[in-house]
Amino acid sequence: MHIDKEIDTSGLNCPLPILKAKKALAELESGQVLKVIATDGGSLRDFQAFAKQTGNELLEQQTLGEEFIHVLRRR
């Protein structure tokens, strides 16, 4: 999968990973893909809700050790 931009929000708690993702998505063009690395366990459900509310597509979520990876496509 081609990633256009990646941000690392490790160590940040809700709502900061979502806010940083929102800012990063605003810098992308429609259809581009953002990868977010987070360490907040709540980010799994937060990003699901964020995608539903904003219309951005949540392509993938992974848990790798203590990291949570979220991949979103800008609407």
Side-chain angles (χ1 to χ4, degrees):
M1 181 184 321
H2 174 76
I3 304 294
D4 295 292
K5 183 169 186 143
E6 180 175 322
I7 61 171
D8 187 348
T9 65
S10 297
L12 300 178
N13 292 322
C14 182
L16 290 174
I18 292 287
L19 294 174
K20 290 195 174 281
K22 186 176 181 181
K23 183 175 187 272
L25 281 167
E27 297 168 0
L28 297 177
E29 293 181 23
S30 182
Q32 288 189 308
V33 176
L34 172 69
K35 177 180 177 181
V36 182
I37 301 166
T39 51
D40 179 7
S43 67
L44 289 169
R45 70 174 183 282
D46 292 345
F47 274 93
Q48 291 167 7
F50 172 74
K52 277 186 185 160
Q53 289 171 354
T54 61
N56 294 297
E57 184 182 359
L58 184 59
L59 300 175
E60 186 178 316
Q61 286 187 306
Q62 292 180 11
T63 303
L64 300 174
E66 295 183 7
E67 289 185 338
F68 302 95
I69 311 299
H70 312 281
V71 181
L72 297 136
R73 175 177 287 129
R74 186 170 193 260
R75 62 178 164 86

